[in-house]
Amino acid sequence: MSENLIIQGIDVSTSYSGRVMHDKVSWSVKEGEIYGFLGGSGSGKTTLLKTMLYLKEPDEGKILFDGVDMWAANSEQKAQIKQKSSVMFQFGALYTAMNVLDNVGVLLSEYSSFSKRQIDEISMFWIQKVGLKPDVATLYPSELSGGMKKRVALARALALSPKLLFLDEPNSGLDPMSSRAMDELVQNLRETLGISVIMVTHDIDSIFDILDRFLIIENQKIAFEGSLGELEKAEYNPLEELFKTRKR
């Protein structure tokens, strides 16, 4: 894991209709790490995710992507940043009228100059890279299980070979075995592709097993940022109850 930062939030504040969600919060994600956004329901984990995806402009503060101020960047810089990052949304957000192959290739159709044949070949590569069989390519979202939908969405997110991958609750709705398989897949992708990963998660095993570092949001502030080992030594441990559950 590099010590270089791929993305950094500096004194970021956000709100919805006058309700403050975050009050001058800061965080930093290193190249090549799996980083988690943790916090209770309504704490604003997904809101922070949106600030890094050009979906929610902060009220104050800066977000630097490879050193470039994302929200102050010019149109060319913003286009480059968007192509360096990609997201797998919580429920997949697949196009119901498209089969799996076309769902995975949709971003390549929009942002590349590849031919249809090349796009299909690249899409098939990613379908298999995320652990799906080739014959899944002809199926439609309605024919897929919840776990398969997530893997298709992950393949689509990887199709443009991003430097930074965002995962919004990747294990929600999955049984324990499927959740562990998803964690192993994310780790494998980090190792083989060298990508950085930011994950919003509630999954206890993911927190303990695959996150290199994470932040915890409480009362509009960052209550903690660091590794699991650092949290164990901290005076205040927001995850103390989870620690007790894990050790039983």
Side-chain angles (χ1 to χ4, degrees):
M1 181 169 52
S2 170
E3 289 301 311
N4 295 328
L5 300 182
I6 187 167
I7 200 163
Q8 180 181 20
I10 304 172
D11 293 334
V12 173
S13 297
T14 69
S15 64
Y16 284 107
S17 301
R19 180 196 170 203
V20 176
M21 295 295 297
H22 307 100
D23 182 19
K24 296 186 180 300
V25 300
S26 300
W27 68 93
S28 58
V29 181
K30 300 173 185 177
E31 290 183 351
E33 76 175 340
I34 300 176
Y35 186 97
F37 277 25
L38 315 181
S41 296
S43 62
K45 303 181 296 297
T46 298
T47 297
L48 283 189
L49 199 70
K50 289 179 177 179
T51 66
M52 295 180 282
L53 290 167
Y54 288 116
L55 297 175
K56 168 70 175 172
E57 185 171 3
D59 298 332
E60 296 180 41
K62 295 181 180 180
I63 299 175
L64 306 181
F65 189 109
D66 275 347
V68 177
D69 186 339
M70 289 182 60
W71 288 97
N74 59 41
S75 57
E76 183 178 348
Q77 289 173 316
K78 286 182 178 179
Q80 291 174 348
I81 289 171
K82 287 177 182 178
Q83 291 196 33
K84 289 180 181 178
S85 60
S86 197
V87 59
M88 185 189 89
F89 292 106
Q90 182 174 353
F91 300 108
L94 302 179
Y95 295 103
T96 57
M98 291 183 179
N99 65 22
V100 167
L101 190 68
D102 290 338
N103 260 289
V104 175
V106 69
L107 295 178
L108 288 166
S109 298
E110 185 173 353
Y111 294 109
S112 79
S113 57
F114 293 128
S115 67
K116 180 64 167 66
R117 179 179 176 181
Q118 289 172 318
I119 289 172
D120 286 349
E121 290 174 350
I122 295 169
S123 299
M124 185 61 78
F125 167 81
W126 288 113
I127 287 169
Q128 295 178 79
K129 185 70 173 176
V130 299
L132 295 171
K133 295 179 180 180
D135 56 9
V136 170
T138 59
L139 300 180
Y140 286 80
S142 61
E143 301 174 283
L144 305 176
S145 68
M148 292 169 73
K149 287 178 182 177
K150 286 180 180 286
R151 287 177 183 253
V152 173
L154 181 56
R156 182 176 62 189
L158 292 166
L160 289 176
S161 299
K163 287 184 64 176
L164 177 58
L165 176 65
F166 295 95
L167 304 176
D168 189 9
E169 298 284 4
N171 294 337
S172 67
L174 299 181
D175 60 70
M177 185 177 295
S178 297
S179 293
R180 301 293 65 78
M182 179 62 75
D183 282 349
E184 290 175 9
L185 175 58
V186 171
Q187 286 181 301
N188 179 262
L189 291 171
R190 188 264 297 271
E191 297 303 322
T192 57
L193 304 176
I195 60 174
S196 309
V197 179
I198 295 179
M199 177 190 298
V200 172
T201 185
H202 285 97
D203 188 83
I204 296 174
D205 290 321
S206 296
I207 294 169
F208 280 81
D209 294 341
I210 74 167
L211 297 184
D212 296 308
R213 292 190 309 126
F214 50 86
L215 62 78
I216 303 172
I217 308 169
E218 276 191 354
N219 300 319
Q220 306 164 350
K221 298 284 190 179
I222 304 297
F224 173 82
E225 184 187 32
S227 68
L228 200 63
E230 290 169 333
L231 181 60
E232 289 179 316
K233 299 173 185 176
E235 278 187 35
Y236 171 57
N237 181 353
L239 300 184
E240 187 172 358
E241 291 304 314
L242 286 183
F243 274 66
K244 291 177 181 176
T245 302
R246 176 79 173 200
K247 290 174 180 177
R248 282 174 189 159

